[in-house]
């Protein structure tokens, strides 16, 4: 098993110190003896149509998959999930509170203009702008950038956010308190830069191919809604000479059946990261060498709308949590290596997270008995059963799991569940507006540290679509941030996780695995990245021997 990479934030002391030299950017690493194909093009299924390609507007994995190739932040991540320099080639900090980033002289936008510190100032202020209403605006609060709270609430102007350009190549960030793991947070999508003149000139159309300007390793060549996105090499990218793939095509296929069929016909080189159990079993028999299954930092769960009158009763929430049989879902339905989840945060995050509530040791029948008793106390029985809608976004696998969950709740606790299906974009909107009872959800870590999951449930988090509110939970995370050492910080994280469980704020189901079919000609997919990113500049196409 690959060791957890040493985090760069662990390499920076609490006094002013430049970061130690590390790999200067990621790129395709072709093993000796491998012959490259003449045609360096790859087609990947991205699983759904993206809602946008604007880094400060999006919130989902499908969008991040594309944006990762089109924009580069101060730092990035390598093929093993390690943090590496991006636009910033080095940085320093004063007590983990004042951070100065030194931008590369050769970092350029796709039209040849230089990337400057002012570009980051503009972009981070844009993320904080209440007029933008970014679903990731609260990410600035998680980083504790100075004045972020007041700027987000409109109490202070954007220019009071704790970011400034010392000159064209020095970007300084001031925090309201020390954040030792700040570096790990900065590769995430909303922290990537966009060009002010392009955004202001073209408005919401600035991400269309004819107007697009990015600073990533690839540029947007073509975008046909519900058909394909085409990305080509960015000749101005500072490390372009190390890339090999010339063109990447990303497809929005929601059906796992169609995904695999088009893979087997030769149209797709890399499938989406979720293959239905039936197809998985068939592929394991027919082409086992083309399946890559790896655990990654993603939790599949059912999100409870905590503000709905029906679910304000903790007994009802707890009954739903207990009445779902995780073992059947992971072992019988999915059967790809998924791990039953008894908490929100994956147990293998950040070197290990050993949360396990008491009910995890009960048999399923014991859980069912407790759940039925709770519902009876709450006023529900056979003559007056609990009734609610279960929302899931379009996917063969999501539908199959929703049907199974509804059946379990009917059998185990007597609940009547009506299924509701919506497309990805619509389901996100419904959740943000609170127009749902219980919803299928997956949360994937933005970085490899427990706060990447737990911050989601902060009372004022902009992406807290469960509408969970807990002063005790908020305080635990606040104390984790100011903890004297990593061990104490972890203890507060575990307390926060225990609070989520005590409140039954969600229904954890399992920790996901990424299961893809990858054509033998594709190189560069290590299967070692816990965040499961597919980065075009890491890939190459091999010429198979005759």
């Amino acid at each position: 098993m690959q060791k957890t990479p040493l985090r760069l934030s662990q390499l920076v002391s609490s006094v002013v110190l430049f970061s130690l030299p590390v790999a200067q950017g990621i790129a395709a690493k072709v093993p000796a003896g491998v012959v490259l194909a003449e045609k360096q093009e790859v087609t990947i299924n991205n699983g759904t149509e993206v809602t946008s390609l604007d880094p400060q507007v999006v919130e989902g994995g499908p969008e991040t998959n594309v944006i990762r190739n089109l924009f580069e932040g101060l730092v990035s991540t390598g093929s093993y999930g390690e943090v590496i320099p991006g636009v910033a080639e080095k940085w320093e900090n004063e007590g983990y509170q004042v951070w100065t980033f030194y931008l590369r002289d050769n970092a350029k936008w796709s039209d040849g203009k230089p990337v400057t510190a002012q570009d980051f100032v503009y972009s981070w202020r844009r993320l904080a702008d209440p007029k933008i209403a970014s679903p990731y605006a609260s990410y600035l609060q998680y980083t504790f950038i100075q004045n972020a709270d007041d700027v987000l609430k409109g109490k202070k102007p954007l220019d009071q956010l704790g970011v400034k350009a010392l000159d064209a190549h020095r970007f300084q960030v001031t925090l309201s308190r020390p954040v030792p793991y700040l570096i790990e947070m900065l590769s995430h999508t909303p922290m990537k830069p966009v060009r002010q003149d392009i955004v202001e000139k073209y408005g919401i159309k600035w991400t269309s191919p004819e107007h697009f300007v990015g600073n990533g390793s690839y540029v947007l060549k073509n975008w046909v809604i519900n058909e394909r996105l085409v990305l080509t090499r960015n000749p101005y990218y500072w490390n372009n000479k190390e890339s090999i793939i010339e063109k990447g095509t990303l497809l929005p296929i929601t059906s796992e059946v169609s995904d695999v069929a088009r893979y087997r016909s030769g149209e797709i080189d890399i499938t989406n990261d979720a293959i239905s159990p039936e197809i998985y079993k068939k592929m394991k028999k027919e082409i086992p060498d083309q399946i890559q299954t790896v655990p990654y930092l993603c939790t599949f769960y059912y999100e409870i709308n905590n503000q709905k009158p029906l679910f304000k009763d903790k007994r009802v929430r707890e009954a739903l949590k207990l009445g779902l049989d995780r073992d059947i879902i992971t072992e019988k339905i999915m059967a790809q290596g998924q791990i039953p989840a008894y908490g929100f945060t994956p147990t293998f995050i950040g070197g290990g997270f050993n949360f396990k509530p008491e009910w995890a040791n009960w048999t399923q029948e014991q859980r069912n008995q407790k759940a039925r008793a709770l519902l009876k106390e709450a006023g529900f029985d056979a003559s007056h059963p609990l009734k609610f809608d279960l929302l899931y976004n379009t996917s063969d696998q999501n539908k199959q799991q929703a049907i199974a969950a509804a059946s379990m709740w009917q059998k185990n606790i007597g609940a009547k569940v009506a299924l509701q299906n919506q497309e990805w974009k619509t389901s996100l909107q419904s959740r943000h507006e609170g127009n749902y009872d219980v919803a299928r959800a997956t949360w994937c870590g933005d970085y490899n540290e427990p706060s990447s999951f737990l911050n989601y449930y902060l009372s004022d988090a902009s992406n807290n679509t469960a509408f969970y509110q807990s002063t005790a939970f908020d305080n635990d995370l606040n104390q984790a941030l100011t903890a004297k050492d990593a061990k104490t910080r972890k203890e507060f994280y575990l307390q926060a996780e225990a609070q989520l469980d005590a409140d039954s704020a969600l229904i954890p189901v399992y920790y996901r695995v990424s299961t893809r079919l990858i054509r033998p000609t594709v190189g560069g997919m290590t299967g070692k990245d816990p965040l499961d990113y597919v980065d075009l500049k890491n890939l190459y196409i091999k010429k198979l021997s005759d």
Side-chain angles (χ1 to χ4, degrees):
M1 180 179 291
Q2 176 71 27
K3 283 187 177 181
T4 302
L6 185 64
R7 298 184 293 217
L8 286 187
S9 59
Q10 294 173 312
L11 299 177
V12 187
S13 78
S14 60
V15 297
V16 177
L17 179 69
F18 285 104
S19 64
L20 297 179
V22 289
Q24 294 298 299
I26 44 180
K29 301 293 190 297
V30 182
V34 171
V35 179
L36 294 176
E38 183 176 341
K39 188 176 182 181
Q40 289 295 317
E41 298 181 2
V42 65
T43 299
I44 304 168
N45 179 27
N46 196 37
T48 190
E49 178 59 49
V50 297
T51 60
S52 170
L53 291 178
D54 185 329
Q56 278 82 55
V57 170
V58 303
E59 62 178 311
E63 293 77 18
T64 289
N65 294 341
V66 184
I67 289 173
R68 178 174 180 77
N69 297 283
L70 300 176
F71 299 91
E72 183 174 73
L74 294 168
V75 300
S76 187
T77 56
S79 55
Y80 291 87
E82 72 279 20
V83 179
I84 61 174
V87 175
E89 59 184 350
K90 58 184 180 181
W91 48 87
E92 62 190 24
N93 79 77
E94 298 174 33
Y96 297 123
Q97 195 160 351
V98 179
W99 296 75
T100 304
F101 297 87
Y102 295 77
L103 277 54
R104 300 176 186 277
D105 292 338
N106 59 343
K108 295 181 179 180
W109 294 96
S110 54
D111 61 358
K113 293 185 178 181
V115 178
T116 69
Q118 186 57 40
D119 291 325
F120 282 92
V121 171
Y122 167 73
S123 302
W124 289 20
R125 286 178 179 172
R126 183 172 181 257
L127 178 62
D129 191 344
K131 295 178 182 177
I132 298 296
S134 170
Y136 257 106
S138 57
Y139 200 76
L140 294 171
Q141 294 172 291
Y142 307 160
T143 59
F144 287 89
I145 294 178
Q146 191 176 67
N147 295 326
D149 288 356
D150 287 340
V151 172
L152 288 171
K153 294 174 183 176
K155 294 181 179 180
K156 289 186 177 180
L158 294 176
D159 61 11
Q160 292 300 299
L161 189 68
V163 297
K164 62 181 177 180
L166 300 180
D167 54 40
H169 294 286
R170 288 188 301 159
F171 175 60
Q172 190 171 87
V173 182
T174 301
L175 310 182
S176 60
R177 61 179 64 185
V179 180
Y181 51 85
L182 177 71
I183 294 298
E184 294 173 89
M185 302 181 72
L186 299 185
S187 65
H188 191 40
T189 301
M191 311 305 279
K192 297 181 187 294
V194 297
R195 266 265 295 279
Q196 182 174 0
D197 59 325
I198 300 298
V199 173
E200 293 181 349
K201 182 177 181 179
Y202 299 110
I204 61 172
K205 294 184 178 180
W206 79 268
T207 57
S208 59
E210 63 270 25
H211 304 314
F212 180 84
V213 174
N215 74 321
S217 51
Y218 289 79
V219 295
L220 183 61
K221 182 71 173 179
N222 192 19
W223 184 359
V224 182
I225 302 295
N226 291 321
E227 185 177 320
R228 66 186 58 227
L229 283 156
V230 179
L231 281 54
T232 56
R233 289 263 292 272
N234 174 9
Y236 289 105
Y237 178 60
W238 66 270
N239 204 29
N240 176 55
K241 61 183 176 61
E242 299 296 333
S243 298
I244 294 176
I245 294 293
E246 294 291 341
K247 183 174 80 171
T249 301
L250 290 90
L251 306 179
I253 305 169
T254 59
S255 167
E256 289 94 349
V257 173
S258 298
D259 186 10
V260 173
R262 291 169 73 169
Y263 173 88
R264 301 210 72 174
S265 71
E267 180 183 353
I268 293 174
D269 299 300
I270 303 173
T271 66
N272 191 30
D273 61 13
I275 297 177
S276 69
E278 294 79 8
I279 296 176
Y280 175 80
K281 292 176 183 177
K282 180 177 174 63
M283 296 302 100
K284 284 289 284 186
K285 291 181 180 179
E286 298 179 2
I287 48 174
D289 57 325
Q290 295 180 42
I291 294 181
Q292 182 184 87
T293 301
V294 294
Y296 75 117
L297 296 176
C298 253
T299 301
F300 181 98
Y301 63 105
Y302 286 112
E303 182 166 75
I304 301 173
N305 187 342
N306 283 248
Q307 71 178 358
K308 276 286 183 83
L310 177 63
F311 298 114
K312 285 184 177 181
D313 189 328
K314 186 177 78 71
R315 295 170 298 186
V316 176
R317 301 195 303 269
E318 186 176 358
L320 291 182
K321 180 183 71 177
L322 295 175
L324 192 76
D325 194 328
R326 292 151 185 79
D327 291 335
I328 287 179
I329 293 175
T330 56
E331 297 173 14
K332 305 296 184 183
I333 297 176
M334 300 305 296
Q336 298 170 8
Q338 290 84 357
I339 302 170
Y342 301 101
F344 188 49
T345 309
T347 54
F348 46 88
I349 197 169
F353 194 74
N354 56 343
F355 174 77
K356 192 173 184 180
E358 180 185 357
W359 61 270
N361 298 315
W362 299 353
T363 65
Q364 186 59 47
E365 183 50 38
Q366 288 175 316
R367 296 173 196 167
N368 294 343
Q369 289 178 7
K370 176 65 174 179
R372 288 192 290 266
L374 287 167
L375 286 183
K376 186 175 182 180
E377 289 177 15
F380 297 100
D381 55 25
S383 61
H384 178 53
L386 173 67
K387 297 180 180 179
F388 64 92
D389 292 340
L390 175 60
L391 171 66
Y392 67 94
N393 60 288
T394 304
S395 158
D396 297 340
Q397 192 172 128
N398 290 343
K399 180 179 180 180
Q400 182 181 16
Q401 291 181 104
I403 292 172
S407 176
M408 288 176 184
W409 281 318
Q410 164 76 52
K411 177 184 176 183
N412 295 344
I413 63 175
K416 304 292 185 182
V417 185
L419 300 184
Q420 182 182 8
N421 169 235
Q422 294 178 347
E423 295 299 321
W424 169 245
K425 183 176 182 178
T426 306
S427 69
L428 281 179
Q429 182 177 349
S430 293
R431 288 167 61 195
H432 274 285
E433 294 175 350
N435 293 329
Y436 75 96
D437 292 335
V438 177
R440 172 267 171 199
T442 295
W443 182 259
C444 299
D446 300 325
Y447 50 97
N448 191 4
E449 212 266 349
S451 61
S452 180
F453 280 79
L454 295 171
N455 283 343
Y456 178 91
Y457 278 100
L458 284 167
S459 297
D460 59 355
S462 56
N463 43 21
N464 177 1
T465 50
F467 305 100
Y468 172 69
Q469 305 278 314
S470 170
T471 301
F473 177 85
D474 296 346
N475 287 341
D476 284 333
L477 287 191
N478 184 56
Q479 292 184 78
L481 190 70
T482 57
K484 61 182 179 180
D485 53 43
K487 180 180 178 181
T488 306
R489 181 178 302 115
K490 184 176 180 179
E491 290 173 357
F492 283 118
Y493 286 151
L494 288 169
Q495 285 182 202
E497 188 74 49
Q499 187 65 52
L500 282 180
D501 177 66
D503 292 335
S504 296
L506 71 149
I507 306 161
V509 184
Y510 58 77
Y511 304 125
R512 288 187 57 183
V513 295
S514 168
T515 302
R516 303 179 189 271
L517 288 170
I518 303 174
R519 203 162 297 287
T521 51
V522 177
M525 291 285 289
T526 67
K528 302 295 184 179
D529 180 4
L531 297 174
D532 193 45
Y533 290 138
V534 178
D535 200 322
L536 290 177
K537 64 177 175 285
N538 284 344
L539 305 182
Y540 55 90
I541 304 300
K542 298 174 284 187
K543 180 180 180 180
L544 296 183
S545 56
D546 298 330

